[in-house]
Amino acid sequence: MEDINRNSINVLTLGALGKNVSDDTLFIQQAVTKAANYMVQSNQVGGTVYYTGNGTVHFPAGIYGISSTITVPYGVNLDMTNAIFVAIPSNKTLDGFNMTGNTFRNNIIGGTFVGFKTALTFSTNNRNTSRLLIDGLSVHHCNVGIDMTSFSSSRSTNLTIKNFQSISTNQFLKTYCDMTHLTDGWIDHTGYDGASIYNQGFLKADNIIFVPSPTQAGARPRWIDNYNVNDIQPGERGVSISHCRFGGESGSCPVIFNYATADLEIIRGYSASIINIENSIIFSSGASNGESAAIVLFAIPNRISIKNCSGISNLKNGMITCDSTFNSTTVPNSRLISIFIDSSNKGSTTFPLMDDDLHRFLMTDDTPFNAFRQTFKDGKFYKRYRAVSTDNITAKVTFKLASPTSLANGMEQRDHGFSFFASISSSTSGNFGYKSQSLYLITLTGGHDGTSIKKRLSYTLLASHGGGVSFGTHATISSVHWGSDYTGNKDADVSSTEENVTITFNGGSNSNITILPLFGVDNYS
């Protein structure tokens, strides 16, 4: 009878050689099957299955050939320190170790896998306290390193991967866990058309170096694909990154392609989708593929936060940009969607911070009037607008206004109105000696003209200080109207969907307007 108190099996005692001269598959399978019968922990302690556990298979240092997938039974641990596993043949057609449905409080220590289709495959079988520790793993020239496989009925798995490296492997990790923690590792990108990490859960990554390779023809490489999770219980989902370095070498690529949408029903107990990057170095130049942004949006999550990062001056499309297939203007204004980028992340003064329409969600540490982000659709509240002029006599500035189109309920009636200060700097020359300044109060009010309800734009001069010859030229508004042309109507029907508001004044293309909001759509929050 087997001694059930033994807890470790040495594969060499069963006939494996580990000398890269033979196929050790049969002996490895025998070892893991045998280890499943060695009970290490008893469910009599506490009277619950949460205390059960089986034996460990020990692989002494060596090179082990594997010609067919090793099925690992429930509860078996693997000690593979200094062991190397080579697929036979090593052409990425064979899966290595498979623990599908059998993962539960397992430890996988060490192991180097070379030439596999998928090195390690795991999933649980609806066990509530599932935990998996992978420590010291290396994958080389594999298609996938670790695949947690989608198991919607059992996402309550805590996965920790530490002290790892992924070299010349297309995708290091596919995770669907409630909580995945990657720490102290190295991942290089092969330049293929995909992500090194697929995430559908909550992923925390820290102290990792991400090293890119030249992009393959027609590919869109990136480090992380972040997706929605629709079947988990309430809780945050997304990506949190700290103390990582992304790229810097030729062929750099975006940190995240985000496909996760914002949950606007959080107040009913659902989960928020988040992206958080802090204390990291981001060299995401996109030199060989043109992405040239840290985050590329295919959808907008609930929160994006970027803090205290560096190496971002070469991001030609800014910190955040939208994919050409995604129209961010279709996303409604909501307090449940926010973007926070602290002032240390401004990077280059040449390139934009993010796409214009995303500014309406921006909440920064140096923007005290972020409550108005929903009022101005291009997000340029408390910002300077550069004027355009076709004749160097009359200048204009146009912005998009988020204005309600009906008075169907009390909230819309309360929100129907806005006001802001407009500081105008007017000039027909780039020389400062021709500058004149004025300050206006501009408002949007609602009223009835005897026929229908109107939205009316008005302006009032508060102060004017002349410039130019004898300081005799003043910056004077000639019109504030709906539309983007030089002329238009100050009144619009309340049902009008026109978003553009234009201010025209005397001046040329060297003029500008700075807006300081007073009251806006989101001011009541």
Side-chain angles (χ1 to χ4, degrees):
M1 177 180 292
E2 294 286 350
D3 179 5
I4 63 173
N5 292 319
R6 287 184 59 194
N7 60 18
S8 179
I9 296 175
N10 189 323
V11 293
L12 299 186
T13 64
L14 296 181
L17 298 178
K19 295 183 178 179
N20 199 27
V21 295
S22 63
D23 184 350
D24 293 316
T25 305
L26 176 63
F27 308 108
I28 294 174
Q29 186 63 67
Q30 289 177 349
V32 296
T33 302
K34 196 172 186 179
N37 297 319
Y38 293 170
M39 182 178 293
V40 178
Q41 302 173 16
S42 171
N43 62 1
Q44 295 177 2
V45 178
T48 170
V49 295
Y50 297 159
Y51 288 91
T52 61
N54 295 320
T56 298
V57 178
H58 175 59
F59 296 84
I63 302 177
Y64 299 85
I66 296 179
S67 61
S68 62
T69 301
I70 305 296
T71 300
V72 182
Y74 163 70
V76 173
N77 297 312
L78 303 175
D79 179 5
M80 306 182 293
T81 305
N82 298 320
I84 300 173
F85 302 91
V86 179
I88 304 174
S90 57
N91 59 1
K92 304 181 183 179
T93 59
L94 173 68
D95 291 334
F97 285 70
N98 190 309
M99 200 177 286
T100 300
N102 294 324
T103 306
F104 178 61
R105 303 183 69 182
N106 298 92
N107 295 331
I108 311 297
I109 309 301
T112 297
F113 289 79
V114 181
F116 289 89
K117 179 181 179 182
T118 299
L120 299 170
T121 304
F122 302 94
S123 71
T124 65
N125 189 20
N126 199 24
R127 298 179 174 93
N128 286 334
T129 63
S130 178
R131 176 197 54 77
L132 174 61
L133 170 64
I134 301 175
D135 186 357
L137 175 72
S138 295
V139 290
H140 294 249
H141 298 281
C142 295
N143 188 44
V144 177
I146 302 169
D147 187 354
M148 294 303 296
T149 68
S150 181
F151 45 98
S152 60
S153 64
S154 181
R155 287 189 178 273
S156 55
T157 296
N158 188 327
L159 168 65
T160 299
I161 305 173
K162 63 181 183 178
N163 188 28
F164 64 91
Q165 61 179 346
S166 174
I167 298 176
S168 298
T169 292
N170 282 345
Q171 194 162 51
F172 172 63
L173 173 66
K174 297 169 69 175
T175 177
Y176 306 82
C177 301
D178 274 3
M179 178 67 72
T180 298
H181 185 196
L182 294 179
T183 183
D184 300 321
W186 170 290
I187 300 177
D188 71 14
H189 201 298
T190 62
Y192 89 113
D193 188 21
S196 292
I197 299 171
Y198 176 101
N199 177 63
Q200 196 182 84
F202 186 83
L203 171 69
K204 183 177 185 295
D206 55 66
N207 302 316
I208 301 172
I209 294 179
F210 293 82
V211 180
S213 298
T215 302
Q216 299 175 12
R220 298 183 71 186
R222 58 272 188 189
W223 293 113
I224 301 171
D225 279 352
N226 184 49
Y227 280 85
N228 265 344
V229 183
N230 297 319
D231 53 14
I232 66 172
Q233 295 178 356
E236 289 191 340
R237 50 194 166 86
V239 179
S240 182
I241 297 169
S242 64
H243 299 92
C244 292
R245 194 209 78 173
F246 296 90
E249 294 81 359
S250 174
S252 298
C253 55
V255 177
I256 296 174
F257 272 19
N258 179 71
Y259 299 89
T261 57
D263 188 342
L264 302 183
E265 299 291 334
I266 295 176
I267 56 176
R268 298 184 182 180
Y270 293 89
S271 56
S273 56
I274 71 169
I275 295 175
N276 176 58
I277 305 176
E278 59 184 24
N279 302 314
S280 295
I281 302 172
I282 304 173
F283 291 107
S284 187
S285 62
S288 56
N289 61 46
E291 298 292 353
S292 194
I295 300 173
V296 179
L297 299 180
F298 293 77
I300 295 180
N302 287 96
R303 296 191 299 275
I304 299 177
S305 176
I306 305 175
K307 303 177 182 178
N308 195 33
C309 293
S310 62
I312 58 179
S313 61
N314 59 351
L315 302 179
K316 295 181 180 179
N317 288 327
M319 297 295 291
I320 309 171
T321 190
C322 294
D323 182 74
S324 59
T325 63
F326 173 54
N327 181 6
S328 61
T329 63
T330 62
V331 179
N333 293 314
S334 172
R335 299 173 199 80
L336 300 178
I337 301 177
S338 64
I339 297 174
F340 180 90
I341 302 179
D342 72 16
S343 57
S344 69
N345 294 291
K346 294 300 175 62
S348 172
T349 57
T350 303
F351 304 133
L353 185 66
M354 64 182 72
D355 289 0
D356 280 348
D357 185 65
L358 298 176
H359 279 268
R360 61 194 168 107
F361 302 115
L362 184 64
M363 300 181 68
T364 69
D365 55 1
D366 59 352
T367 305
F369 301 99
N370 54 56
F372 295 89
R373 67 188 184 276
Q374 295 186 35
T375 301
F376 299 92
K377 291 196 68 175
D378 56 8
K380 295 180 180 177
F381 50 84
Y382 199 48
K383 297 288 183 179
R384 176 176 294 178
Y385 290 78
R386 184 68 177 266
V388 296
S389 177
T390 59
D391 56 11
N392 208 34
I393 297 175
T394 302
K396 71 169 184 173
V397 162
T398 299
F399 56 88
K400 290 184 181 296
L401 175 67
S403 176
T405 58
S406 69
L407 298 180
N409 56 56
M411 180 175 290
E412 286 186 339
Q413 291 185 42
R414 176 177 60 183
D415 301 344
H416 190 73
F418 85 134
S419 60
F420 61 86
F421 289 131
S423 177
I424 301 176
S425 175
S426 176
S427 179
T428 57
S429 168
N431 190 313
F432 182 77
Y434 290 83
K435 290 287 184 180
S436 56
Q437 305 281 342
S438 62
L439 178 65
Y440 281 84
L441 174 66
I442 297 177
T443 62
L444 169 62
T445 58
H448 200 286
D449 65 357
T451 303
S452 60
I453 300 175
K454 301 291 185 181
K455 299 182 288 188
R456 173 167 294 181
L457 295 165
S458 304
Y459 59 93
T460 302
L461 177 64
L462 301 179
S464 179
H465 300 275
V469 179
S470 300
F471 292 91
T473 302
H474 290 261
T476 305
I477 288 180
S478 58
S479 176
V480 179
H481 54 264
W482 297 100
S484 56
D485 295 328
Y486 279 89
T487 60
N489 295 321
K490 67 177 182 180
D491 288 351
D493 288 336
V494 72
S495 60
S496 171
T497 59
E498 176 64 58
E499 297 177 337
N500 292 295
V501 173
T502 296
I503 302 172
T504 59
F505 59 98
N506 63 305
S509 56
N510 288 295
S511 304
N512 55 70
I513 294 179
T514 298
I515 286 179
L516 173 62
L518 296 174
F519 176 82
V521 171
D522 197 34
N523 192 47
Y524 60 86
S525 63

